[in-house]
Amino acid sequence: MARITDLPAGTWTVDPAHSELGFVARHLMVTKVRGQFKEFEGTVKVGESIADSQVSAVAQLGSVDTGSADRDAHLKSADFFDVENNPTMSFTSTEVTEDSLKGDLTIKGVTKPVEFELDFGGVATDPWGNQKAGFEASTEINRKDWGLEWNVALEGGGVLVSEKIKINLDIQLLKTA
């Protein structure tokens, strides 16, 4: 089993072609809608110990993709992300451990602490000699904590869009020279 302490010190960048920044929300409280951000970047600076490591990432909110152009347009509007005034979402770590990543998540100018469960997949060298590492991470947030308030009450009870949103990361890193 791979351990995060196996990750060599140095600077690593997110390989967007082999990574995904996704989310899941409940719709009508009976089904799940999945989406992702197509444009994002991140850097991991691995210290001599994991405690000395830092993670930073930025996602372009206008790159949201749920498979529905109408829903994506609504998410970009002032009802949700207000992309015109808040084009990015960012994360800066405050603590990295073997199995968790804590940090500050900023959406719409609001910064709140979050904690991701972390699963380190290991380190490998690709056929071109590039050193790669893989991670999966997940957390659940209440979107209202970041001012994402829009909703519609349903006649039979419940709401159109869940307050709880799951964020799922599947990240491949590339070690930089």
Side-chain angles (χ1 to χ4, degrees):
M1 176 178 185
R3 295 184 47 84
I4 199 166
T5 52
D6 297 335
L7 189 60
T11 300
W12 298 73
T13 57
V14 171
D15 178 354
H18 298 102
S19 299
E20 184 175 293
L21 169 53
F23 61 90
V24 180
R26 286 231 172 244
H27 182 256
L28 296 170
M29 308 317 293
V30 296
T31 58
K32 293 178 181 176
V33 171
R34 289 171 173 76
Q36 60 182 311
F37 296 96
K38 296 286 195 171
E39 297 174 23
F40 57 93
E41 58 188 35
T43 303
V44 177
K45 293 182 179 178
V46 179
E48 291 303 318
S49 74
I50 292 304
D52 296 329
S53 300
Q54 300 171 334
V55 178
S56 61
V58 174
Q60 299 299 318
L61 294 173
S63 72
V64 67
D65 181 3
T66 64
S68 166
D70 289 341
R71 181 173 40 235
D72 295 347
H74 191 203
L75 287 170
K76 294 174 192 179
S77 77
D79 283 345
F80 287 98
F81 295 130
D82 191 13
V83 170
E84 188 173 313
N85 296 305
N86 301 283
T88 63
M89 165 176 62
S90 65
F91 175 83
T92 303
S93 68
T94 57
E95 181 182 6
V96 182
T97 68
E98 183 72 38
D99 57 3
S100 73
L101 174 61
K102 295 178 183 176
D104 294 325
L105 178 64
T106 302
I107 306 171
K108 286 182 74 170
V110 177
T111 302
K112 299 280 184 181
V114 295
E115 181 175 357
F116 287 89
E117 291 181 21
L118 191 58
D119 182 24
F120 179 59
V123 179
T125 301
D126 71 15
W128 300 273
N130 299 305
Q131 199 168 24
K132 303 279 187 111
F135 288 89
E136 290 181 26
S138 63
T139 193
E140 185 172 272
I141 65 169
N142 184 323
R143 63 186 176 87
K144 287 188 170 187
D145 291 345
W146 283 267
L148 304 172
E149 301 278 341
W150 185 90
N151 223 335
V152 173
L154 302 174
E155 280 186 33
V159 291
L160 186 63
V161 183
S162 63
E163 289 180 15
K164 291 184 179 180
I165 307 296
K166 291 182 181 178
I167 300 174
N168 300 308
L169 309 175
D170 195 352
I171 303 296
Q172 186 175 104
L173 298 174
L174 169 64
K175 187 146 188 334
T176 57

